[in-house]
Amino acid sequence: MFKNFMAVAFVATTLLADALEAGLAQGGVNVPAVVMFLIFVFATLGITYWASKRTKTAKDFYTAGGGITGTQNGLAIAGDYMSAASFLGISGLVYLKGYDGLIYSIGFLVGWPIVLFLISEQLRNLGKYTFADVASYRLRQKPIRILAAFGSIAVVLLYLIAQMVGSGKLIQILFGLPYEFAVIIVGVLMIAYVTVGGMLATTWVQVIKAVLLLSGATFMALAVLAYYNFNPGELFAEAVEAHPNGVEIMSPGGLVSDPISAISLGMALMFGVAGLPHILMRFFTVADAKEARKSVFVATGFIGYFYILTFIIGFGAIVLVSTNPAYLDEFGNLFGGDNMAAVHLAHAVGGDLFLGFISAVAFATILAVVSGLTLAGASAISHDLYANVYAKGTVDEKTEMKISRIATIGIGVFAIFLGIAFENQNIAFMVGLAFAIAASANFPILFLSIYWKRLTTRGAVIGGSLGLATAVILVILGPVVWKDILGNAEAIFPYQYPALFSIVVAFVSIWLFSVTDKSDQAKLDREAFEAQDIRCQTGIGAEGAVEH
Amino acid sequence: MDIETINRIKSNPKYQKLVATRSKFVWKLAIFVFVMYYGFILLLAYLPEVLGASIGSGVMTVGIFVGIAIIVISVITTGIYTKRANSEFDKLTAEIKKELKESENV
C-alpha cells in the first residue's frame, strides 16, 4: 500500500512540476497561489496516507467505518455542496445582476430542510453504503439496483464533466497552467485520495476545504463591510451608484421570466439535492440517526451562511472591482469573465497573497467535490452493480474493495478524458440535467420506497425509468441543447428546466404501475413494508447503529 | 425482524406516539418550507414589484429582506427539528428499544 501511495504521490508531484514549467514558459504563473496549493496537496496527501492505514474493510472504504461525527459530516457535506461553481458562479451572478443571484442561492438552500425532515435519518437507519440499499430494501434487488446505479452514474458523470471543464478553465486563469495539465492534475489527485484513502480521506479533504473556503469568504465579506463601517445600507447605496443597471440590481430582474420555468427550476433544485448520490452517501458515514440529523443541521447552517457571504462578495465586487480599471479590459468587462468577480475582489481587498490563497482554495474546492463524486460513482459500480447484481451478494469484501478501487481509477481516467474532450463544448446544461435526473429518478424511488406501502418493484422500475427518460429527452428538446447547441431555429420543448414535468411523470407512473400491480412480487414488496418501517422509525436492527 | 417482534413494537403505545407525533411535526415543517419557498417563487413570477418595493428612503428593498430571511428561516427550521428530535423523539425511541429488550428477556 505504501509503495502504491508513494508512486501516486510521485506522479502527482512530477505532473505539477511539469505543469509549473510549462506555465512558467507561458509566463504568468501565480506563484503564491501555486505555493499555497502545494501546501494543501501535501497536507491532504499526508492525510490520505494516514487514512489508508485505517481503511481495511469495505465499510471503511465506503463510509469511513461509520465513525464520522455529525459536525465533521456536516462540514464535509457543506464541502461537497459548495462547489467552485457556486462560489464563483453565484458571486459572479450577483456582480452582474444583483438580486437575481440571491434567487439561485435560495433555491440551492431550501432542499436541505426537506432532506433533513424526510430522508436523512431514514437513510441512516435503512442503508449501508449507497442509497440503492434503501431503495431496494424491500423491493427486488436486481432491477432496482440497476436503475438506482444508472441514475447515480448518470448524475455523477454529468456533474464530473461540468467540474472537470470548469476546473481546467479556472486553473488556467488562476494559476497560468495549461488546460490539459490542470485537468490531469485534478484527475490524478482525486484518484489518489479515493483509491488510497477511501471515504476517510475524501471526508477530510472536504472538511479542510470547507473550513478554508468559509474562512476566505468570511474575510472577504468582512473586508467589504469594513469599507462601509459595517453598514450594509451604505454598501448597497454605493453599489447602486456604481452599477450600470442602477437601482434595478436591488429587485428581481429577468432571471425568472415565466411561472412554469420558475416553479420547474425550484423543484429541480429542491428535490435534486435529495437525489444526489454523493450527498446521500454521506449519511452512511455517521453512527446513527442522531448524528445524521446533526450533520444536516450543521451543513445547512454553513451553506446558508456561505450564500449570504457570496451575496455580500458580489456586491463588494460591484463597488470595489467594477470601478477599478486594473481589473477590466478595454470594453469594461472583467478579465476572465464575470465568474472572476470574487477572485478580483480577493486581490482588491487582500493583495497578491490573498489572491493566491483564494485561488488555491478554488482548486482545493474542485478536488474535494470531484473526489466525493468519484467515490459515489465507484460505489454504484462496485457495491450495487458488481457485488449485488452481478455476484448476487456472494462476493467477499476484499474483491469488492478491489473492484471499487478499479472503478475509481476507471472513472478518474474517464473524467480526465471527458474533461479534455468537452473543453470547448457548451456544458451549461449539464449540472441542470444532473439535478433534473436526481429529482425525477433517484428522489421519487427513494422517497416512495421509504413512505409508501403500496409501492412495488414494477412501479418503481417503470416510473423511475420514465422519470429519468423524460428529464433527458426534455433537456435535449429544450432551448439550451436543441436551439443553442444543435443550432435549430426553435426549441421543441419551450422550457429550460424539465423538472416540473419529469417529476410529475415519475410520481404518476410509479403510482399507476404500483397500484395496478397484482403480481406475487408486489405482494412480497408490500408485506415487507412493516418491518422496514419499524427499522426506519426506530433504527432497530440498523447497520452501524450502536447496540445498547 | 419476525412477525412477533413487529406486532410487539407496533402495539407499544410509545411507538404509536412516536410515529404519530413525529410525522405530524415533520409534515408541518415541510409544508411550512414549501409554502415559504413556492410563495416566494410565485411572488417572483407574478408580482415582482412587491419584492422590488423600497424600504424607507434608502435603496433597500423588500426583496433583499425576504431573500435573506428565507435563508435564515430555513436554517432555523432545521434547528427546531433537530432540537425536538434530539430530546423528545430520541427519548421515546430509547424507551421503545428498552421495553423491547425487556419483553424479549421475559
Side-chain angles (χ1 to χ4, degrees), chain A residues 31 59 92 105 147 153 235 255 269 276 288 309 347 408 427 433 436 453 513 536:
Chain A
V31 178
K59 189 176 162 151
S105 304
L147 180 61
I153 294 165
L235 167 66
L255 181 75
L269 294 179
L276 294 174
D288 53 26
L309 294 180
H347 187 259
T408 305
I427 51 153
L433 180 57
K453 186 183 173 179
F513 289 99
C536 179

Side-chain angles (χ1 to χ4, degrees), chain A residues 74 244 396 493:
Chain A
D396 65 293
F493 177 71

Side-chain angles (χ1 to χ4, degrees), chain A residues 537-538, chain B residues 18 22 89-98:
Chain A
Q537 300 276 4
T538 61
Chain B
L18 172 73
R22 183 167 55 194
F89 301 150
D90 276 358
K91 202 173 143 228
L92 272 174
T93 311
E95 284 168 15
I96 294 163
K97 283 184 182 167
K98 199 171 142 234

